[in-house]
Amino acid sequence: MSADKRSLLINTAIDVIREQGFEKTSVSQIVGRAGVAQGTFYLYFKTKNELIPAIAREIFDIQLDRTKEAFPKEPASLDELLKKLIEITYTITEEYKDLITFIYSGMAFYHSFETWEQIYAPYYEWLMSKFVSLQDTGEIQTDTPFAYAANYTVGFIEHAAESFYLSGALSENPEQSKHECFVFLRKALQP
């Protein structure tokens, strides 16, 4: 039950923040809409600012869940893996672009960057396991240790998606942006 209330508070906060912004959002508004007592909020979060990493984790968990659902078994090829990772990341970035900039600024201001690594650790581990499987079939040929390769791959895909959806850099066409991201990563992982 407690995980349900925490999740309810996070998802309600996302809705309220999307409507009126973080600064104008109050704990009273969040708990009022969630239908819980104000003290319940403080059982899970010391301050409103603690919602920032919780929202980041919520969005990232959605991304990781979608990624795992896309691969109920091992990917057949590096191409399949990269194309699905790119598509899912672009989709999540588009869906949550209104929150991503807020999360970045909030994490930089209120939280350490080590929190990012904790949030991303399950994704890196999952991707490293896929790289190992693909290496066993000869699909990946890189001298870069997989811990680095997973980190760089995730970071590059996210940067490409954010460049497209948040700043409009480099391309006006999402398919071109996705293709260029794919080509770059494919060359990096199978030179």
Side-chain angles (χ1 to χ4, degrees), residues 2-3 63 72 77 79 82-83 86 104 110 112 157 173-174:
S2 64
Q63 180 172 343
S77 68
D79 288 4
L82 291 177
K83 286 178 181 178
I86 291 166
Y104 279 153
Y110 298 112
S112 71
I157 295 171
N173 178 339

Side-chain angles (χ1 to χ4, degrees), residues 60-173:
F60 194 74
D61 286 348
I62 292 167
Q63 180 172 343
L64 183 56
D65 289 346
R66 287 184 192 176
T67 302
K68 288 179 176 180
E69 287 170 12
F71 295 99
K73 56 184 181 175
E74 295 303 318
S77 68
L78 177 60
D79 288 4
E80 176 192 22
L81 177 65
L82 291 177
K83 286 178 181 178
K84 285 185 180 180
L85 291 178
I86 291 166
E87 189 60 42
I88 292 165
T89 302
Y90 272 68
T91 299
I92 290 288
T93 304
E94 183 178 23
E95 287 176 23
Y96 292 97
K97 64 185 174 185
D98 58 335
L99 293 173
I100 291 173
T101 303
F102 144 74
I103 290 169
Y104 279 153
S105 63
M107 291 289 284
F109 190 74
Y110 298 112
H111 303 277
S112 71
F113 283 102
E114 286 130 12
T115 303
W116 279 118
E117 292 306 309
Q118 293 168 359
I119 291 171
Y120 278 82
Y123 193 15
Y124 296 150
E125 290 172 20
W126 179 87
L127 186 53
M128 283 190 298
S129 74
K130 301 308 170 209
F131 284 169
V132 168
S133 294
L134 290 170
Q135 182 184 42
D136 292 345
T137 64
E139 280 286 315
I140 291 181
Q141 300 168 5
T142 180
D143 294 332
T144 304
F146 286 151
Y148 288 96
N151 183 300
Y152 298 160
T153 299
V154 170
F156 186 79
I157 295 171
E158 284 192 352
H159 176 74
E162 290 164 3
S163 291
F164 181 80
Y165 288 110
L166 303 181
S167 68
L170 301 175
S171 173
E172 294 180 11
N173 178 339

